[in-house]
Amino acid sequence: MMKLSAHRPQPERYRRRVAAVLAGVLTASLALAACGAGSGASSDDNTLTLWHNATTGPGSEYWETIAADFEASHEGVTVEVQAIQNEDLDGKLQTAQNAGEGPDVFLARGGGKLRDMVEAGLVLDISGMIDQSVAADVPEGAFSAYTVDDGIYAMPTSLQPGGIYYSQDLFQAAGITAAPTTMEELSDAVAKLKESGTSPIALGAKDAWPAAHWYYFFALRECSQEVLESSLSELDFSDQCWVDAGEDLADFAATEPFNSGFLTTSAQQGAGSSAGMVANHQAAMELMGTWNVGVIASLTPDEEPLPDLRWFPFPAVEGGAGDPTAIMGGVDGYACSSTAPAELCAEFLNFFMSEERQEAYADAFETIPVNEKAQDVITQEALLPQVEANNDAAYSQVWLDTSLGQNIGNALNVAVVDMLAGKGDAQGIVNAMTAAAAKE
């Protein structure tokens, strides 16, 4: 899914802004250089292949420029860049790795997906290769997202806390004066938005994972941290909180808070997607990760940021054992293949982690950089409270499908959609996870 990292096309204004930021970092002679796309692992120690998921816009331009700058400072080195649609990346990566043709550097999801790669010997342990300057400016928690046993297997680049994005203008028009902090308040907001003639919540359930986000967050609020962590590590979902989370979602869905046709609505492709509905004021809210700020900006009529876009954490659930300040989301990061030229690959990871390049990364992707010195670049009203919520969180949980790995995660996501489509129930979600776990 992006989920943990789903960077999308950005508007022209941001192309100009990221170019301006990078101008102070890059040599003028190579500012317009571009690298050809690589199809797999490099064939020599002077070539790196990079796979990322920013197919167009400033995100794509960012990686092309970083590659050119790295080549300029490393004589004889070539960085071949290939952008792959986010929804296709995991599958293509798995296929390429199975064939021994995976890229040298690639977007890493973390959680169970990363652990599977580590256990298969596909990823380089970079624990002893992280520059001291990088380690000093990046919080330990960001590295922990990519820590397996005692090794660090990816360089974190951005924080991706999830929550609810909303239109301040549509809230005000509906008479909603404050962001909801409880599910009761959220339900009241849904009712007021309906009365005002606005679709309350946009949901792109066609892609499965956006619908499953709702279950993830109900589980985060229903399950204690101890139960959540033990369930995910032991693959045991017998605690009642897992069923309670599904029943919470079923009860909420029964109030019809989502857009008409949400089961066939995509998440981020075009004006008719759930993000597009928010971008064009056709819906007031969407539950999503940090990348949504840039996605929504790219889908407004003028491809500019939505001026009234705001954000609030997922509300507290009455009676839930979960800490209401806990955050779910993830950390974007990049890993090196175990077959990549180790020193060169690690040097490339450190290269794009400087304060200036992290500022450019944040600007290109409209996200929160992990380098704390670079966080001053954030100005978006929808991003600022996310930094505060992330800093104040009791703990941060990686997206459940990422934590569980591809097989169990996919089973979970599909089961949630089935329940919302009337083809299953809360116990069915738990049964799907348990059955998939039994095959691990």
Side-chain angles (χ1 to χ4, degrees):
M1 66 161 276
M2 155 126 316
K3 213 173 47 35
L4 192 156
S5 51
H7 296 318
R8 289 294 186 268
Q10 305 285 336
E12 178 63 31
R13 176 168 172 247
Y14 289 95
R15 294 189 181 93
R16 297 193 298 268
R17 287 176 58 190
V18 71
V21 173
L22 286 170
V25 182
L26 307 178
T27 55
S29 62
L30 287 169
L32 297 178
C35 301
S39 59
S42 57
S43 58
D44 62 71
D45 288 345
N46 291 319
T47 299
L48 291 175
T49 54
L50 165 65
W51 284 14
H52 65 85
N53 66 343
T55 54
T56 62
S60 179
E61 292 175 11
Y62 171 86
W63 285 117
E64 294 287 353
T65 315
I66 288 295
D69 190 43
F70 190 74
E71 291 176 339
S73 59
H74 295 73
E75 186 176 356
V77 169
T78 299
V79 181
E80 300 176 347
V81 183
Q82 183 169 356
I84 299 174
Q85 180 66 31
N86 181 69
E87 285 73 19
D88 299 333
L89 181 59
D90 285 359
K92 289 189 175 182
L93 179 62
Q94 185 176 34
T95 299
Q97 288 178 329
N98 289 342
E101 300 175 351
D104 296 314
V105 188
F106 58 90
L107 177 67
R109 305 294 190 183
K113 293 180 180 180
L114 179 63
R115 178 176 289 276
D116 290 344
M117 292 184 194
V118 171
E119 292 177 351
L122 298 172
V123 192
L124 179 69
D125 183 350
I126 62 170
S127 303
M129 304 180 183
I130 300 170
D131 287 351
Q132 291 184 357
S133 60
V134 174
D137 294 337
V138 177
E140 184 177 348
F143 286 111
S144 68
Y146 291 111
T147 299
V148 176
D149 298 327
D150 296 324
I152 298 175
Y153 290 90
M155 182 70 75
T157 53
S158 65
L159 303 173
Q160 302 281 352
I164 298 180
Y165 291 87
Y166 71 100
S167 162
Q168 187 178 58
D169 290 351
L170 293 179
F171 266 39
Q172 290 177 346
I176 304 169
T177 58
T181 59
T182 66
M183 282 306 300
E184 182 179 1
E185 291 177 356
L186 180 59
S187 294
D188 288 343
V190 166
K192 289 180 179 178
L193 287 161
K194 284 184 177 181
E195 291 173 3
S196 71
T198 298
S199 182
I201 300 173
L203 178 58
K206 180 180 179 180
D207 293 321
W209 57 264
H213 277 181
W214 284 91
Y215 178 80
Y216 302 171
F217 274 93
F218 277 120
L220 184 70
R221 296 292 182 254
E222 285 286 5
C223 301
S224 68
Q225 182 178 1
E226 180 182 4
V227 167
L228 192 65
E229 291 178 348
S230 65
S231 294
L232 296 175
S233 63
E234 298 171 14
L235 302 182
D236 179 0
F237 310 104
S238 59
D239 193 282
Q240 181 62 31
C241 68
W242 292 100
V243 175
D244 290 343
E247 292 178 344
D248 289 341
L249 176 54
D251 290 343
F252 183 63
T255 68
E256 299 184 351
F258 306 126
N259 57 288
S260 176
F262 69 89
L263 290 170
T264 57
T265 299
S266 64
Q268 300 176 336
Q269 294 81 40
S273 66
S274 55
M277 293 183 70
V278 176
N280 294 281
H281 280 177
Q282 296 173 349
M285 291 179 274
E286 184 182 23
L287 175 62
M288 195 55 67
T290 304
W291 61 84
N292 214 33
V293 175
V295 174
I296 289 173
S298 72
L299 296 174
T300 59
D302 57 3
E303 294 191 347
E304 294 287 341
L306 191 66
D308 67 318
L309 187 66
R310 301 293 185 268
W311 180 92
F312 61 89
F314 195 87
V317 173
E318 183 177 0
D323 192 306
T325 70
I327 286 285
M328 181 169 291
V331 178
D332 257 8
Y334 281 79
C336 288
S337 167
S338 57
T339 59
E343 291 186 7
L344 182 65
C345 196
E347 191 169 348
F348 181 72
L349 298 185
N350 285 299
F351 181 79
F352 59 68
M353 290 301 294
S354 69
E355 180 180 349
E356 294 85 356
R357 295 185 181 94
Q358 270 272 281
E359 288 178 348
Y361 186 93
D363 201 35
F365 292 109
E366 286 300 309
T367 192
I368 303 171
V370 294
N371 186 316
E372 294 179 329
K373 290 182 178 178
Q375 290 179 357
D376 289 342
V377 75
I378 299 172
T379 59
Q380 281 278 9
E381 291 284 348
L383 286 175
L384 291 172
Q386 295 181 51
V387 177
E388 181 179 355
N390 194 78
N391 292 340
D392 294 343
Y395 71 100
S396 181
Q397 170 60 49
V398 174
W399 305 108
L400 294 190
D401 60 345
T402 300
S403 294
L404 291 168
Q406 188 164 347
N407 294 332
I408 305 175
N410 287 346
L412 165 59
N413 293 350
V414 171
V416 172
V417 175
D418 283 346
M419 186 188 74
L420 292 175
K423 300 177 182 178
D425 57 16
Q427 184 62 52
I429 297 174
V430 175
N431 292 345
M433 289 192 289
T434 301
K439 299 177 182 179
E440 291 292 294

